[in-house]
Amino acid sequence: MEDLQALGKLLREYRERAQLTRAQLARRARISASFVTYLEKGHRRPSAAIIARIAQALGLRADQQKQLLQSAGYASVEEIAQVSGLQGVLDEIAALSSQERDELITEIHRLLGRWQELRAKRLRKVVIPVAGWQPRLLSPAQLGQMLRPALEEIATAGLKEAILVLAPSRPAPQIALPKNLKLRQIVQEPQLGLGHAILIAQGLVGDEPFAILLPDDIILADRARSLCQMIKIYERHHCSILAVTEAEEAADFKNYGIATLGQRLEEELYWVEALAEKPRGREREREGLTIVGRYIVTPQIFEALQATAPDPNGELQLTDALNLLLQRQRICAYRYEGQLFRVTPIKMLLESLIEALDDQQPGRLERAMAITKNALYKLGRLRG
Ligand code: G1P
């Protein structure tokens, strides 16, 4: 069991014994001084690797490092080695000839270099799927209009290349491209869902992290807080990130992907615990936050998409693939609270109108009208 208070106390003791200030320890362990403060106050749980760096910076003995690891809820180095089978690997390394060991070390360095290169890669690309049924209803001029704020948001975030996924046999949208943004287009032939639209962009994205922007979630006023912010978060944490926001009404749960959040990492940032695409079960009602159409994903999303089964409608869902990715990698959720207009209420409006006509229930018609009014009000405010 972890005991962060005890860990904090211990850390402070060891630091004072080593006669180091927080800033000095931070410098030696290559972490920030405020992180040292958080650790000593028991407000953060460090990774096992950070503990190893701190232990080295403080010149701790193996038993002291073990004590720190245990207070943070980790098994000791020896236990980790045994449980993970690492002990066997260590024994094998010990049995190698010195030439074989040198070759192995060269190979490890090469791999580490490649890993660091990948980590250092800046986000450059964004995929914008517009092959769904909603964008298909729009004329090229309307599609261009809808894309305008999205492209500006992308340019503000400093991305260099946008990959548009278009529906087949539709004239290309009329767009004025912001400076420094290159546009590439691909066509999604079968209409097999958002996940499929992302999967077919793999060839153009390559082996690097990238953003996904769904332009029917329109962010006008606070553009700098969405993708821009998420890219900064990516540069700090190097993991996939989803934008999420509070559900406005119970019906949202069956209209959006839903993220259940865990521990808070920093202001507006949480670890994701589970994801569900448009959950219908009653038990999930009013739990979790809705996914907004802004994502940053690691390239492993492509493997996850390939391994994801289609939903009952035969569509490949990005949320399902992210859920699979969650078993391998951590994903965090950025809580977006800016001004957002979602085209989806229009879909809800159509659905409830049709239901109302079907059942002849006046209550439902009123509800449909309320949704219309709300959507028009929000649109009006965005224009103003
Ligand atoms: C898609 C995603 C959903 C997300 C939504 C955001 O749904 O599948 O998880 O919440 O975008 O707008 P769609 O709008 O394509 O039904």
Side-chain angles (χ1 to χ4, degrees):
M1 265 305 285
E2 66 189 52
D3 180 352
L4 296 185
Q5 296 295 336
L7 172 72
K9 213 168 139 239
L10 207 58
L11 251 182
R12 193 187 170 136
E13 249 173 60
Y14 287 147
R15 177 178 61 76
E16 286 173 351
R17 227 180 281 166
Q19 298 189 331
L20 290 180
T21 63
R22 283 178 179 156
Q24 285 167 329
L25 170 60
R27 220 168 305 124
R28 285 193 187 184
R30 284 165 288 125
I31 51 182
S32 72
S34 54
F35 191 56
V36 176
T37 310
Y38 285 135
L39 292 179
E40 289 191 355
K41 288 187 174 167
H43 293 174
R44 288 281 196 287
R45 179 171 183 253
S47 68
I50 293 271
I51 293 184
R53 291 218 304 250
I54 292 177
Q56 200 188 5
L58 291 173
L60 297 185
R61 295 189 313 266
D63 61 315
Q64 292 171 319
Q65 177 173 349
K66 185 171 168 182
Q67 211 181 350
L68 285 182
L69 280 167
Q70 280 167 345
S71 309
Y74 300 108
S76 68
V77 181
E78 298 92 330
E79 278 163 335
I80 292 172
Q82 270 164 14
V83 173
S84 63
L86 207 58
Q87 195 55 53
V89 178
L90 294 178
D91 293 344
E92 272 181 50
I93 292 176
L96 292 178
S97 72
S98 71
Q99 192 198 336
E100 285 168 327
R101 224 180 288 174
D102 285 350
E103 281 169 14
L104 183 68
I105 289 170
T106 314
E107 182 59 11
I108 290 174
H109 274 133
R110 195 188 64 76
L111 286 174
L112 268 178
R114 172 88 187 111
W115 180 69
Q116 273 162 352
E117 210 176 277
L118 278 178
R119 266 178 75 99
K121 262 192 183 164
R122 298 198 75 122
L123 247 96
R124 299 184 304 144
K125 301 183 183 179
V126 54
V127 178
I128 314 175
V130 281
W133 70 270
Q134 276 186 152
R136 276 173 205 243
L137 300 175
L138 304 177
S139 69
Q142 288 170 326
L143 194 54
Q145 242 170 322
M146 184 173 85
L147 283 171
R148 204 183 54 206
L151 293 174
E152 281 171 18
E153 184 182 331
I154 288 164
T156 309
L159 295 175
K160 300 285 177 245
E161 188 176 319
I163 299 160
L164 261 191
V165 186
L166 296 160
S169 337
R170 301 269 314 149
Q174 297 165 4
I175 340 178
L177 269 188
K179 242 172 64 190
N180 300 330
L181 187 68
K182 186 163 127 200
L183 188 74
R184 303 177 84 176
Q185 308 187 0
I186 43 169
V187 171
Q188 183 185 17
E189 287 286 345
Q191 211 176 340
L192 291 180
L194 176 58
H196 179 256
I198 304 302
L199 190 53
I200 63 165
Q202 181 172 13
L204 292 183
V205 170
D207 186 22
E208 55 184 279
F210 62 103
I212 300 171
L213 187 151
L214 312 184
D216 48 6
D217 274 346
I218 301 171
I219 290 172
L220 283 182
D222 216 353
R223 244 172 258 149
R225 278 202 53 210
S226 45
L227 259 191
C228 214
Q229 203 63 25
M230 291 168 75
I231 290 175
K232 288 190 190 136
I233 295 171
Y234 178 81
E235 283 166 359
R236 285 203 296 279
H237 296 282
H238 298 281
C239 64
S240 299
I241 307 158
L242 319 176
V244 295
T245 197
E246 289 297 338
E248 284 186 354
E249 46 189 329
D252 281 355
F253 287 87
K254 61 180 173 65
N255 282 295
Y256 296 109
I258 303 298
T260 312
L261 306 188
Q263 205 188 341
R264 201 181 93 147
L265 267 119
E266 26 175 287
E267 192 72 23
E268 313 296 9
L269 198 67
Y270 298 79
W271 290 121
V272 170
E273 276 191 344
L275 295 162
E277 178 66 7
K278 308 187 172 95
R280 298 238 157 204
R282 284 193 134 259
E283 75 282 0
R284 296 202 70 92
E285 259 174 2
R286 293 175 195 283
E287 259 180 45
L289 299 190
T290 66
I291 301 175
V292 180
R294 303 291 182 275
Y295 310 74
I296 287 175
V297 285
T298 58
Q300 285 75 37
I301 190 64
F302 292 122
E303 287 157 41
L305 280 164
Q306 270 155 2
T308 300
D311 72 3
N313 298 323
E315 294 196 350
L316 192 54
Q317 293 299 343
L318 177 60
T319 311
D320 293 342
L322 285 164
N323 226 345
L324 212 57
L325 189 62
L326 195 54
Q327 293 172 16
R328 281 178 63 187
Q329 295 181 347
R330 295 190 119 183
I331 297 181
C332 60
Y334 165 63
R335 202 176 164 123
Y336 179 75
E337 281 176 351
Q339 205 180 6
L340 171 72
F341 179 76
R342 313 188 96 165
V343 178
T344 315
I346 294 170
K347 180 163 102 185
M348 288 160 62
L349 161 73
L350 283 175
E351 274 176 4
S352 37
L353 271 174
I354 290 165
E355 276 176 26
L357 291 175
D358 241 18
D359 293 13
Q360 301 290 315
Q361 285 183 19
R364 291 197 177 185
L365 200 53
E366 274 161 22
R367 168 143 178 68
M369 294 313 291
I371 294 173
T372 320
K373 271 198 197 152
N374 188 20
L376 289 176
Y377 169 72
K378 281 192 183 172
L379 258 183
R381 269 193 20 198
L382 286 184
R383 287 216 183 95

